[in-house]
Amino acid sequence: MSTRTVHIKSFGCQMNKLDTALVAVALGEAGFGLTDSVKEADVVLINTCSVRQHAEQRVLSHLGHLRYIKKTRPDLVVGVIGCMAQRLGVELLENEAVDIVCGPTQIPQIRLLIEKALSEKRKTMAVSEKIRKAAVEKETEALEEFESVHDSDDSQVPAQAYVRAMRGCDKFCSYCVVPYVRGPEMSRPAKAIIEQIKRLADKGIKQVTLLGQTINSYKYTTCGRTYRLADLLSMASEIEGIERIRFITSYPTEDSYDEILQAMAGLPKVCRFLHMPAQSGSDKILKTMNRNYTASKYLEMLDKARDIVPGIAIVGDFIVGFPGETEGDFQRSVSLVEKARYKNCFVFKYSPRPGTTGAKKLQDTVPQEVKKKRNTELLAVQEGISDELSREFQNKTVKILVEGLSKKPHLDTKNGGNQPQLVGRTVTDWIVVFNGPKGLAGKFVKVKIIKTAPLTLFGELT
Ligand code: SAM
Ligand code: SF4
């Protein structure tokens, strides 16, 4: 029998990128070929995101395109995996283009689901019926095995890999769908995480990013000992071959905060980088969002981070146009961004998500054009700050881990002869563009910064 080929398209966050990498490795091991082209594929999988309506709309329009392709290629199998699969279940299965629906907790079953769809030519679905009920032991075991056997070697970025430390979330921010599609918060065994990093290091991985929706709440107890994130950082630091360790995303809470900052300050391999979303600068809005801190508490936490970890780069997330957000509330977010001095921040327009408290109890009162205006304004404020911070790198030499070819051409490094433009990141996550040989991907190099822009540094190999 000829090899069946699979094309995987991934939407959404790093958790999804990791799931996509795991599915790709698992299918590769099961004898499937992977292809970048839908035309060559026998199976198309779409790994989906439900965090904002826009993300779901993109998937639906992609499915529209696949439905059109299936008119001439009826044997093409289309699978939807991830958060949207869990959220919509049968509704998605009823979509003409869709043959497989598989939730994030069921991805270990993906090979079987594909084989069934290919051989029996009928629709199949695997999602959790009660996602908030702690995953049954069998399901957790299957996920754990899937995760550790298929080391997440994210071949898109050489020498770098994501490692899941936690699954799910228990915070229930009133706008957020994650607890309803990814299930309860659960920390993976510390030993499994560390063993996995060791195997990744043996394969040439130099940078690992530990993932969790609230990674700073990592807590795993076994044989009377409790492991927290600071312990993971310290154990991972011992692993030969690993040179950089990062973790995302942090929730603003004092729990374990000092220990994590001390670990960052004391362990040279731990990147001085903190992604800690504020979401709003208005205490009234933060309360309605069910975020358990105030703007001033949040700023105190940033001060502490800068005291304990000099040179730390901080990244934030904000939502604009949350129900009830007045111009005054929004200006408090502007003021928070001004004070926080983030390296960069992500700004999202509020999108009501079915099933969340926000969608059930709060009216989406802020008009779309106001959300858009606030989004642009907040990003402009941040751009000014990023610009100032980036200028501090002028004429300095930085060590970067090279990711590979730059996706978009930057005119600024045109005089690099025949060398292509490459992109890499500093230890504090600044993007650096420079000209150099393609073979540097996955290697550490030193680059002198000759020009700066708000989100990008331009340099020359030294
Ligand atoms: N767990 C992380 C945290 O608590 O910071 C973030 C997870 S969420 C996938 C990523 C970002 O999406 C959030 O920080 C928030 O800013 C944004 N987000 C989540 N739900 C949203 C919604 N309904 N509308 C707009 N933005 C949203
Ligand atoms: Fe969503 Fe809040 Fe959990 Fe982050 S902490 S995943 S925003 S519920």
Side-chain angles (χ1 to χ4, degrees):
M1 197 175 101
S2 66
T3 309
R4 302 287 204 160
T5 51
V6 184
H7 170 82
I8 315 179
K9 184 158 177 68
S10 194
F11 292 87
C13 65
Q14 285 86 357
M15 280 285 178
N16 265 15
K17 283 191 188 150
L18 172 55
D19 284 343
T20 299
L22 293 174
V23 166
V25 177
L27 292 178
E29 280 176 5
F32 287 90
L34 293 172
T35 171
D36 285 339
S37 142
V38 173
K39 263 193 197 155
E40 286 168 12
D42 300 298
V43 181
V44 173
L45 292 181
I46 311 177
N47 195 2
T48 57
C49 169
S50 284
V51 167
R52 282 167 291 277
Q53 196 192 357
H54 177 65
E56 292 200 347
Q57 266 160 355
R58 283 174 65 202
V59 170
L60 292 173
S61 71
H62 202 66
L63 286 175
H65 177 61
L66 289 168
R67 197 182 63 185
Y68 178 73
I69 295 179
K70 280 179 93 166
K71 285 199 171 128
T72 47
R73 294 176 53 204
D75 285 342
L76 178 70
V77 165
V78 174
V80 179
I81 61 178
C83 296
M84 213 172 146
Q86 177 59 43
R87 196 181 83 72
L88 294 172
V90 175
E91 196 182 318
L92 257 184
L93 204 63
E94 282 167 0
N95 185 307
E96 239 180 276
V98 178
D99 303 290
I100 300 167
V101 170
C102 173
T105 318
Q106 283 72 29
I107 52 167
Q109 299 174 32
I110 191 66
R111 179 178 65 85
L112 290 176
L113 293 171
I114 292 176
E115 279 168 2
K116 212 165 162 186
L118 282 168
S119 60
E120 296 176 19
K121 303 213 180 308
R122 64 182 174 88
K123 294 185 179 233
T124 53
M125 181 168 90
V127 294
S128 295
E129 267 178 42
K130 293 203 167 83
I131 188 81
R132 288 303 306 170
K133 254 180 99 184
V136 277
E137 212 174 305
K138 235 171 81 195
E139 248 171 16
T140 312
E141 264 174 33
L143 273 171
E144 199 43 55
E145 201 198 46
F146 189 72
E147 192 113 34
S148 1
V149 173
H150 308 295
D151 287 328
S152 51
D153 178 1
D154 188 355
S155 52
Q156 298 296 310
V157 186
Q160 300 190 26
Y162 293 118
V163 173
R164 193 173 346 250
M166 298 172 78
R167 302 192 177 98
C169 184
D170 284 348
K171 287 279 184 254
F172 288 99
C173 302
S174 63
Y175 50 82
C176 187
V177 78
V178 170
Y180 305 93
V181 287
R182 291 257 172 193
E185 179 185 297
M186 217 185 63
S187 294
R188 292 184 61 212
K191 190 165 170 253
I193 296 169
I194 296 302
E195 291 298 322
Q196 192 172 8
I197 300 176
K198 279 186 188 155
R199 286 196 302 273
L200 288 165
D202 288 344
K203 284 187 186 168
I205 294 295
K206 295 173 184 160
Q207 173 176 303
V208 288
T209 304
L210 297 171
L211 293 185
Q213 295 296 352
T214 56
I215 186 73
N216 47 331
S217 333
Y218 177 85
K219 194 175 193 177
Y220 186 80
T221 304
T222 180
C223 304
R225 178 166 176 198
T226 297
Y227 294 86
R228 302 300 308 260
L229 179 62
D231 301 306
L232 285 186
L233 296 175
S234 147
M235 290 190 290
S237 283
E238 303 276 305
I239 299 172
E240 212 179 306
I242 295 297
E243 296 188 44
R244 281 185 183 175
I245 306 156
R246 300 161 11 111
F247 55 89
I248 48 176
T249 307
S250 296
Y251 183 92
T253 163
E254 291 284 0
D255 174 34
S256 204
Y257 191 56
D258 287 26
E259 292 89 319
I260 293 168
L261 294 177
Q262 297 295 353
M264 213 185 257
L267 299 167
K269 290 183 181 180
V270 178
C271 296
R272 296 182 167 223
F273 172 77
L274 190 67
H275 183 176
M276 190 159 78
Q279 312 297 2
S280 173
S282 154
D283 291 346
K284 178 193 93 187
I285 297 293
L286 284 171
K287 198 155 184 239
T288 332
M289 284 178 164
N290 195 27
R291 302 281 288 187
N292 294 310
Y293 52 87
T294 58
S296 61
K297 183 79 215 160
Y298 178 84
L299 284 170
E300 261 174 44
M301 291 183 71
L302 297 197
D303 285 345
K304 188 186 253 182
R306 290 185 167 118
D307 273 354
I308 300 180
V309 192
I312 190 171
I314 300 172
V315 171
D317 288 5
F318 281 81
I319 294 177
V320 291
F322 187 77
E325 186 189 68
T326 61
E327 187 57 27
D329 293 317
F330 170 66
Q331 287 306 326
R332 287 181 190 95
S333 291
V334 172
S335 161
L336 182 52
V337 167
E338 283 165 350
K339 290 179 188 148
R341 294 193 67 75
Y342 296 113
K343 172 180 91 73
N344 64 288
C345 77
F346 300 96
V347 182
F348 305 103
K349 297 189 277 291
Y350 174 68
S351 164
R353 304 313 296 131
T356 60
T357 323
K360 280 191 227 156
K361 299 201 172 149
L362 306 167
Q363 288 265 341
D364 185 16
T365 47
V366 181
Q368 196 57 25
E369 59 277 14
V370 177
K371 287 181 184 168
K372 223 167 152 183
K373 188 183 130 292
R374 290 180 184 169
N375 191 309
T376 311
E377 186 179 335
L378 203 54
L379 282 175
V381 174
Q382 178 56 44
E383 191 172 316
I385 295 162
S386 296
D387 194 28
E388 272 176 46
L389 295 176
S390 70
R391 283 169 201 271
E392 291 171 14
F393 286 91
Q394 184 70 33
N395 295 327
K396 292 208 172 119
T397 297
V398 290
K399 184 178 168 187
I400 62 167
L401 179 54
V402 184
E403 293 182 355
L405 292 174
S406 167
K407 285 202 183 90
K408 55 176 182 190
H410 295 270
L411 293 173
D412 308 64
T413 59
K414 230 178 180 176
N415 52 3
N418 292 326
Q419 307 268 34
Q421 279 184 340
L422 302 179
V423 64
R425 285 187 195 247
T426 69
V427 69
T428 51
D429 201 49
W430 282 89
I431 297 169
V432 179
V433 175
F434 65 103
N435 288 90
K438 242 173 38 184
L440 289 183
K443 299 205 167 79
F444 285 99
V445 295
K446 286 198 172 152
V447 170
K448 184 178 177 198
I449 304 304
I450 51 168
K451 186 180 156 78
T452 65
L455 290 173
T456 317
L457 310 174
F458 299 93
E460 287 172 349
L461 272 174
T462 61

Short mmCIF file of all heavy atoms in Angstrom, two decimals, residues 37-84:
data_model
loop_
_atom_site.label_atom_id
_atom_site.label_comp_id
_atom_site.label_asym_id
_atom_site.label_seq_id
_atom_site.Cartn_x
_atom_site.Cartn_y
_atom_site.Cartn_z
N SER A 37 1.65 20.54 1.09
CA SER A 37 0.68 20.91 0.06
C SER A 37 -0.65 20.16 0.22
O SER A 37 -0.68 18.94 0.34
CB SER A 37 1.32 20.61 -1.31
OG SER A 37 0.38 20.10 -2.19
N VAL A 38 -1.75 20.90 0.20
CA VAL A 38 -3.08 20.29 0.30
C VAL A 38 -3.31 19.39 -0.91
O VAL A 38 -3.91 18.32 -0.81
CB VAL A 38 -4.17 21.38 0.39
CG1 VAL A 38 -5.57 20.79 0.34
CG2 VAL A 38 -4.01 22.22 1.65
N LYS A 39 -2.80 19.84 -2.06
CA LYS A 39 -2.98 19.10 -3.32
C LYS A 39 -2.46 17.67 -3.23
O LYS A 39 -3.05 16.74 -3.77
CB LYS A 39 -2.20 19.80 -4.44
CG LYS A 39 -3.03 20.73 -5.27
CD LYS A 39 -2.24 21.09 -6.50
CE LYS A 39 -2.83 22.32 -7.15
NZ LYS A 39 -1.84 23.04 -7.93
N GLU A 40 -1.32 17.51 -2.54
CA GLU A 40 -0.70 16.18 -2.46
C GLU A 40 -1.26 15.33 -1.32
O GLU A 40 -0.95 14.15 -1.22
CB GLU A 40 0.81 16.34 -2.19
CG GLU A 40 1.59 16.81 -3.37
CD GLU A 40 3.00 17.22 -2.98
OE1 GLU A 40 3.43 16.92 -1.85
OE2 GLU A 40 3.66 17.85 -3.83
N ALA A 41 -2.10 15.94 -0.48
CA ALA A 41 -2.50 15.24 0.76
C ALA A 41 -3.70 14.31 0.57
O ALA A 41 -4.62 14.60 -0.18
CB ALA A 41 -2.82 16.28 1.83
N ASP A 42 -3.64 13.15 1.28
CA ASP A 42 -4.83 12.28 1.37
C ASP A 42 -5.68 12.73 2.55
O ASP A 42 -6.87 12.48 2.61
CB ASP A 42 -4.40 10.83 1.61
CG ASP A 42 -3.53 10.31 0.49
OD1 ASP A 42 -4.04 10.27 -0.65
OD2 ASP A 42 -2.35 9.99 0.73
N VAL A 43 -5.01 13.33 3.55
CA VAL A 43 -5.70 13.77 4.76
C VAL A 43 -5.28 15.21 5.08
O VAL A 43 -4.09 15.52 5.04
CB VAL A 43 -5.30 12.88 5.97
CG1 VAL A 43 -6.03 13.31 7.25
CG2 VAL A 43 -5.53 11.41 5.68
N VAL A 44 -6.26 16.07 5.37
CA VAL A 44 -5.94 17.43 5.82
C VAL A 44 -6.43 17.57 7.25
O VAL A 44 -7.61 17.30 7.53
CB VAL A 44 -6.60 18.50 4.92
CG1 VAL A 44 -6.39 19.90 5.51
CG2 VAL A 44 -6.03 18.45 3.51
N LEU A 45 -5.53 17.95 8.16
CA LEU A 45 -5.95 18.19 9.55
C LEU A 45 -5.83 19.68 9.84
O LEU A 45 -4.85 20.32 9.44
CB LEU A 45 -5.02 17.45 10.52
CG LEU A 45 -5.07 15.93 10.54
CD1 LEU A 45 -4.10 15.39 11.61
CD2 LEU A 45 -6.49 15.43 10.84
N ILE A 46 -6.84 20.23 10.52
CA ILE A 46 -6.76 21.64 10.91
C ILE A 46 -6.79 21.68 12.43
O ILE A 46 -7.76 21.22 13.06
CB ILE A 46 -7.94 22.46 10.36
CG1 ILE A 46 -8.12 22.17 8.87
CG2 ILE A 46 -7.71 23.95 10.57
CD1 ILE A 46 -9.30 22.89 8.26
N ASN A 47 -5.71 22.21 13.02
CA ASN A 47 -5.67 22.36 14.47
C ASN A 47 -6.19 23.76 14.80
O ASN A 47 -5.64 24.76 14.33
CB ASN A 47 -4.25 22.14 14.99
CG ASN A 47 -4.24 21.94 16.49
OD1 ASN A 47 -5.31 21.91 17.12
ND2 ASN A 47 -3.07 21.79 17.06
N THR A 48 -7.25 23.83 15.60
CA THR A 48 -8.03 25.06 15.67
C THR A 48 -7.94 25.78 17.01
O THR A 48 -7.59 25.19 18.03
CB THR A 48 -9.51 24.71 15.42
OG1 THR A 48 -9.88 23.72 16.40
CG2 THR A 48 -9.73 24.17 14.03
N CYS A 49 -8.34 27.06 16.97
CA CYS A 49 -8.33 27.93 18.15
C CYS A 49 -9.72 28.53 18.32
O CYS A 49 -10.36 28.89 17.34
CB CYS A 49 -7.29 29.03 17.91
SG CYS A 49 -7.36 30.36 19.11
N SER A 50 -10.16 28.67 19.57
CA SER A 50 -11.49 29.22 19.84
C SER A 50 -11.44 30.50 20.65
O SER A 50 -12.47 30.99 21.10
CB SER A 50 -12.33 28.20 20.65
OG SER A 50 -12.76 27.18 19.81
N VAL A 51 -10.23 31.04 20.89
CA VAL A 51 -10.10 32.14 21.83
C VAL A 51 -10.86 33.39 21.40
O VAL A 51 -11.46 34.08 22.21
CB VAL A 51 -8.61 32.44 22.11
CG1 VAL A 51 -8.41 33.76 22.83
CG2 VAL A 51 -8.04 31.35 22.99
N ARG A 52 -10.84 33.66 20.10
CA ARG A 52 -11.64 34.79 19.58
C ARG A 52 -12.47 34.28 18.40
O ARG A 52 -12.08 33.33 17.71
CB ARG A 52 -10.73 35.94 19.14
CG ARG A 52 -10.21 36.77 20.31
CD ARG A 52 -9.10 37.68 19.92
NE ARG A 52 -7.90 36.96 19.59
CZ ARG A 52 -7.02 36.51 20.48
NH1 ARG A 52 -7.20 36.74 21.77
NH2 ARG A 52 -5.96 35.83 20.11
N GLN A 53 -13.58 34.98 18.14
CA GLN A 53 -14.47 34.56 17.07
C GLN A 53 -13.74 34.58 15.72
O GLN A 53 -13.92 33.70 14.88
CB GLN A 53 -15.67 35.49 17.03
CG GLN A 53 -16.82 34.91 16.22
CD GLN A 53 -17.88 35.95 15.94
OE1 GLN A 53 -17.79 37.09 16.40
NE2 GLN A 53 -18.88 35.57 15.20
N HIS A 54 -12.86 35.58 15.57
CA HIS A 54 -12.13 35.73 14.32
C HIS A 54 -11.33 34.46 13.97
O HIS A 54 -11.30 34.03 12.82
CB HIS A 54 -11.19 36.94 14.46
CG HIS A 54 -10.33 37.17 13.27
ND1 HIS A 54 -10.86 37.51 12.04
CD2 HIS A 54 -8.99 37.07 13.10
CE1 HIS A 54 -9.87 37.63 11.19
NE2 HIS A 54 -8.73 37.37 11.79
N ALA A 55 -10.74 33.84 15.02
CA ALA A 55 -9.94 32.63 14.80
C ALA A 55 -10.83 31.51 14.28
O ALA A 55 -10.45 30.74 13.39
CB ALA A 55 -9.25 32.21 16.10
N GLU A 56 -12.05 31.42 14.82
CA GLU A 56 -12.98 30.37 14.37
C GLU A 56 -13.46 30.66 12.94
O GLU A 56 -13.62 29.74 12.13
CB GLU A 56 -14.17 30.27 15.32
CG GLU A 56 -13.78 29.73 16.69
CD GLU A 56 -14.96 29.19 17.47
OE1 GLU A 56 -16.13 29.45 17.07
OE2 GLU A 56 -14.73 28.49 18.48
N GLN A 57 -13.67 31.96 12.65
CA GLN A 57 -14.13 32.31 11.30
C GLN A 57 -13.10 31.91 10.24
O GLN A 57 -13.46 31.43 9.17
CB GLN A 57 -14.39 33.81 11.20
CG GLN A 57 -15.85 34.13 11.47
CD GLN A 57 -16.05 35.58 11.84
OE1 GLN A 57 -15.09 36.35 11.99
NE2 GLN A 57 -17.29 35.97 12.02
N ARG A 58 -11.83 32.09 10.58
CA ARG A 58 -10.77 31.72 9.62
C ARG A 58 -10.82 30.23 9.33
O ARG A 58 -10.67 29.80 8.19
CB ARG A 58 -9.40 32.11 10.17
CG ARG A 58 -9.14 33.59 10.04
CD ARG A 58 -7.85 33.99 10.70
NE ARG A 58 -6.68 33.40 10.07
CZ ARG A 58 -5.51 33.23 10.67
NH1 ARG A 58 -5.35 33.60 11.92
NH2 ARG A 58 -4.49 32.70 10.05
N VAL A 59 -11.09 29.43 10.37
CA VAL A 59 -11.17 27.98 10.18
C VAL A 59 -12.38 27.65 9.30
O VAL A 59 -12.29 26.84 8.37
CB VAL A 59 -11.25 27.24 11.53
CG1 VAL A 59 -11.57 25.77 11.34
CG2 VAL A 59 -9.95 27.40 12.31
N LEU A 60 -13.50 28.31 9.58
CA LEU A 60 -14.71 28.01 8.81
C LEU A 60 -14.52 28.36 7.33
O LEU A 60 -14.96 27.63 6.45
CB LEU A 60 -15.93 28.73 9.40
CG LEU A 60 -16.36 28.21 10.78
CD1 LEU A 60 -17.46 29.07 11.38
CD2 LEU A 60 -16.81 26.74 10.72
N SER A 61 -13.82 29.48 7.07
CA SER A 61 -13.63 29.80 5.65
C SER A 61 -12.64 28.83 5.01
O SER A 61 -12.78 28.47 3.84
CB SER A 61 -13.25 31.27 5.44
OG SER A 61 -11.96 31.49 5.88
N HIS A 62 -11.69 28.34 5.78
CA HIS A 62 -10.78 27.32 5.27
C HIS A 62 -11.56 26.04 4.94
O HIS A 62 -11.31 25.39 3.92
CB HIS A 62 -9.73 27.05 6.35
CG HIS A 62 -8.49 26.46 5.82
ND1 HIS A 62 -7.64 27.14 4.98
CD2 HIS A 62 -7.94 25.23 5.97
CE1 HIS A 62 -6.64 26.35 4.65
NE2 HIS A 62 -6.80 25.20 5.24
N LEU A 63 -12.52 25.72 5.81
CA LEU A 63 -13.34 24.51 5.56
C LEU A 63 -14.18 24.69 4.29
O LEU A 63 -14.40 23.74 3.54
CB LEU A 63 -14.25 24.22 6.76
CG LEU A 63 -13.54 23.64 7.99
CD1 LEU A 63 -14.51 23.51 9.16
CD2 LEU A 63 -12.91 22.27 7.67
N GLY A 64 -14.61 25.93 4.04
CA GLY A 64 -15.37 26.22 2.82
C GLY A 64 -14.52 25.90 1.60
O GLY A 64 -14.98 25.27 0.63
N HIS A 65 -13.25 26.27 1.67
CA HIS A 65 -12.33 26.02 0.57
C HIS A 65 -12.12 24.50 0.40
O HIS A 65 -12.14 23.97 -0.73
CB HIS A 65 -11.01 26.72 0.92
CG HIS A 65 -9.93 26.51 -0.06
ND1 HIS A 65 -10.04 26.92 -1.38
CD2 HIS A 65 -8.71 25.93 0.05
CE1 HIS A 65 -8.92 26.59 -2.02
NE2 HIS A 65 -8.11 25.99 -1.17
N LEU A 66 -12.01 23.79 1.52
CA LEU A 66 -11.80 22.34 1.44
C LEU A 66 -13.04 21.63 0.90
O LEU A 66 -12.94 20.63 0.19
CB LEU A 66 -11.42 21.78 2.83
CG LEU A 66 -10.01 22.17 3.29
CD1 LEU A 66 -9.81 21.84 4.77
CD2 LEU A 66 -8.95 21.45 2.45
N ARG A 67 -14.21 22.17 1.24
CA ARG A 67 -15.45 21.57 0.72
C ARG A 67 -15.46 21.66 -0.81
O ARG A 67 -15.84 20.72 -1.50
CB ARG A 67 -16.65 22.32 1.30
CG ARG A 67 -17.94 21.55 1.15
CD ARG A 67 -19.10 22.33 1.67
NE ARG A 67 -19.28 23.56 0.91
CZ ARG A 67 -20.16 24.49 1.19
NH1 ARG A 67 -20.94 24.37 2.24
NH2 ARG A 67 -20.27 25.55 0.45
N TYR A 68 -14.97 22.77 -1.32
CA TYR A 68 -14.89 22.99 -2.76
C TYR A 68 -13.91 21.96 -3.37
O TYR A 68 -14.23 21.32 -4.38
CB TYR A 68 -14.42 24.43 -2.99
CG TYR A 68 -14.23 24.79 -4.43
CD1 TYR A 68 -15.34 25.00 -5.27
CD2 TYR A 68 -12.95 24.93 -4.96
CE1 TYR A 68 -15.15 25.33 -6.60
CE2 TYR A 68 -12.76 25.26 -6.28
CZ TYR A 68 -13.86 25.46 -7.10
OH TYR A 68 -13.68 25.78 -8.41
N ILE A 69 -12.75 21.77 -2.73
CA ILE A 69 -11.76 20.80 -3.24
C ILE A 69 -12.35 19.39 -3.23
O ILE A 69 -12.13 18.60 -4.16
CB ILE A 69 -10.47 20.85 -2.38
CG1 ILE A 69 -9.79 22.21 -2.54
CG2 ILE A 69 -9.50 19.72 -2.73
CD1 ILE A 69 -8.51 22.38 -1.74
N LYS A 70 -13.15 19.09 -2.17
CA LYS A 70 -13.70 17.73 -2.07
C LYS A 70 -14.70 17.39 -3.18
O LYS A 70 -14.99 16.23 -3.42
CB LYS A 70 -14.36 17.54 -0.69
CG LYS A 70 -13.33 17.25 0.39
CD LYS A 70 -13.96 17.08 1.74
CE LYS A 70 -14.27 15.63 2.03
NZ LYS A 70 -14.56 15.40 3.44
N LYS A 71 -15.19 18.44 -3.86
CA LYS A 71 -16.11 18.18 -4.98
C LYS A 71 -15.40 17.39 -6.07
O LYS A 71 -15.99 16.52 -6.71
CB LYS A 71 -16.63 19.50 -5.55
CG LYS A 71 -17.66 20.13 -4.65
CD LYS A 71 -18.49 21.15 -5.38
CE LYS A 71 -19.62 21.54 -4.45
NZ LYS A 71 -19.77 22.93 -4.26
N THR A 72 -14.11 17.70 -6.29
CA THR A 72 -13.37 16.96 -7.32
C THR A 72 -12.53 15.84 -6.70
O THR A 72 -12.06 14.96 -7.40
CB THR A 72 -12.43 17.91 -8.11
OG1 THR A 72 -11.73 18.72 -7.16
CG2 THR A 72 -13.22 18.78 -9.07
N ARG A 73 -12.33 15.90 -5.37
CA ARG A 73 -11.55 14.83 -4.72
C ARG A 73 -12.32 14.29 -3.51
O ARG A 73 -11.96 14.53 -2.36
CB ARG A 73 -10.20 15.38 -4.26
CG ARG A 73 -9.31 15.79 -5.46
CD ARG A 73 -8.04 16.42 -4.95
NE ARG A 73 -7.38 15.58 -3.98
CZ ARG A 73 -6.53 16.04 -3.05
NH1 ARG A 73 -6.26 17.32 -2.97
NH2 ARG A 73 -5.98 15.20 -2.20
N PRO A 74 -13.42 13.54 -3.77
CA PRO A 74 -14.28 13.10 -2.67
C PRO A 74 -13.59 12.21 -1.64
O PRO A 74 -14.09 12.06 -0.52
CB PRO A 74 -15.43 12.36 -3.38
CG PRO A 74 -14.95 12.13 -4.76
CD PRO A 74 -13.89 13.11 -5.09
N ASP A 75 -12.43 11.62 -2.01
CA ASP A 75 -11.75 10.73 -1.07
C ASP A 75 -10.90 11.48 -0.04
O ASP A 75 -10.39 10.89 0.91
CB ASP A 75 -10.84 9.75 -1.81
CG ASP A 75 -11.65 8.68 -2.48
OD1 ASP A 75 -12.83 8.51 -2.08
OD2 ASP A 75 -11.14 8.02 -3.40
N LEU A 76 -10.72 12.77 -0.26
CA LEU A 76 -9.91 13.56 0.68
C LEU A 76 -10.57 13.52 2.07
O LEU A 76 -11.77 13.76 2.20
CB LEU A 76 -9.81 15.01 0.20
CG LEU A 76 -9.02 15.97 1.10
CD1 LEU A 76 -7.54 15.64 1.06
CD2 LEU A 76 -9.24 17.42 0.67
N VAL A 77 -9.75 13.18 3.10
CA VAL A 77 -10.29 13.14 4.47
C VAL A 77 -9.90 14.43 5.18
O VAL A 77 -8.73 14.83 5.17
CB VAL A 77 -9.73 11.90 5.23
CG1 VAL A 77 -9.97 12.02 6.73
CG2 VAL A 77 -10.36 10.63 4.70
N VAL A 78 -10.89 15.10 5.78
CA VAL A 78 -10.63 16.36 6.48
C VAL A 78 -10.93 16.19 7.97
O VAL A 78 -12.04 15.77 8.34
CB VAL A 78 -11.48 17.51 5.88
CG1 VAL A 78 -11.33 18.79 6.71
CG2 VAL A 78 -11.08 17.77 4.43
N GLY A 79 -9.95 16.51 8.81
CA GLY A 79 -10.15 16.39 10.26
C GLY A 79 -9.97 17.75 10.94
O GLY A 79 -9.08 18.51 10.58
N VAL A 80 -10.85 18.03 11.89
CA VAL A 80 -10.70 19.26 12.69
C VAL A 80 -10.31 18.82 14.09
O VAL A 80 -11.02 18.03 14.73
CB VAL A 80 -12.01 20.07 12.73
CG1 VAL A 80 -11.82 21.33 13.58
CG2 VAL A 80 -12.43 20.46 11.32
N ILE A 81 -9.15 19.29 14.56
CA ILE A 81 -8.72 18.93 15.90
C ILE A 81 -8.58 20.20 16.75
O ILE A 81 -8.63 21.31 16.24
CB ILE A 81 -7.38 18.13 15.87
CG1 ILE A 81 -6.25 18.95 15.26
CG2 ILE A 81 -7.55 16.84 15.10
CD1 ILE A 81 -4.90 18.21 15.25
N GLY A 82 -8.45 20.03 18.07
CA GLY A 82 -8.19 21.19 18.94
C GLY A 82 -9.43 21.81 19.54
O GLY A 82 -10.50 21.20 19.62
N CYS A 83 -9.28 23.06 19.96
CA CYS A 83 -10.28 23.73 20.80
C CYS A 83 -11.64 23.87 20.14
O CYS A 83 -12.69 23.69 20.77
CB CYS A 83 -9.76 25.09 21.23
SG CYS A 83 -8.30 24.94 22.27
N MET A 84 -11.64 24.19 18.84
CA MET A 84 -12.93 24.37 18.16
C MET A 84 -13.67 23.04 18.04
O MET A 84 -14.90 22.99 18.09
CB MET A 84 -12.63 24.92 16.77
CG MET A 84 -13.66 25.85 16.24
SD MET A 84 -13.01 26.55 14.71
CE MET A 84 -14.54 26.69 13.83
#
